[in-house]
Amino acid sequence: TLEAAERIRSMETAKVRVVAFADRVGGSAYNRVLSQERALSIAAVLESVGLPRDMVEVVGSGEEGIPEPTADGVPEPLNRCAGIFVLADSAG
């Protein structure tokens, strides 16, 4: 996250979107909250190194769109992740 933040700071960035996921263990409502908390923690790191908080959008996707589709109840570590997406400033 710190390396990503440094790279983002060097770019002409309009917005940063942090999208986090959860595996399919537990209920879907719980996993949505868990993924939202995961995204918020990454946003906090980005903010701590100088990205304005209003530049960072957080999305907790829960089990939707997980990178490694599994059956319900499968504890897949690859799905406990987040992506940081940079939306470039098209005005410049």
Side-chain angles (χ1 to χ4, degrees), residues 10-22:
S10 71
M11 301 168 74
E12 291 186 32
T13 304
K15 197 88 166 158
V16 175
R17 181 177 295 139
V18 179
V19 181
F21 302 93

Side-chain angles (χ1 to χ4, degrees), residues 56-90:
V56 181
E57 174 189 0
V58 296
V59 178
S61 290
E63 301 171 6
E64 291 181 32
I66 52 178
E68 188 64 38
T70 65
D72 195 32
V74 175
E76 175 55 62
L78 293 175
N79 292 332
R80 295 179 218 131
C81 66
I84 302 170
F85 302 92
V86 177
L87 306 169
D89 185 359
S90 61

Side-chain angles (χ1 to χ4, degrees), residues 24-45:
R24 299 198 63 203
V25 173
S28 62
Y30 172 79
N31 285 335
R32 183 167 300 280
V33 170
L34 180 63
S35 65
Q36 181 75 13
E37 290 174 358
R38 182 171 284 133
L40 286 168
S41 69
I42 292 170
V45 172

